[in-house]
Amino acid sequence: MSDRHPLFIPLILVGGLIFGFGLGFSHMARPEVVLNFLQFDDLGLPFVMFGAAIVSGIAFWALPRIRDSAPLTGSRYERRLKPFDKNVLIGGAVFGVGWGLSGICPGAAYASLGVGNVTILWALAGMFIGAYIQGYARS
């Protein structure tokens, strides 16, 4: 951590605030919007997701061509291939079931709390308990 740029942590915090504000502004931090998408009643969420995927795709394509390493961490840009195994399938299934039951994904849960949805604390508690159980089971 000592080799990172001094602005690394503040930039991460600002990025998280911008991300949370974007989720709140686009109403994607409201579980009813997500549940309406999962029931094919409101297709606004795919447009937000595709917009984010396009911006990310451009960044992942362009940045390695502009610089050899990340400006704040100094890490080289490289592909990190991970295996597609049963843990990925199980994790994806648990994530999908949790997303469908709560109507919110982990990143949007914090933004939902920020816009005043206090009942989302139950979903956050479930996420922390599930992460703890998974970490305990794998260790």
Side-chain angles (χ1 to χ4, degrees), residues 14-33:
V14 169
L17 288 171
I18 292 171
F19 177 70
F21 178 79
L23 287 172
F25 184 75
S26 65
H27 301 286
M28 295 303 139
R30 294 176 41 209
E32 56 272 11
V33 171

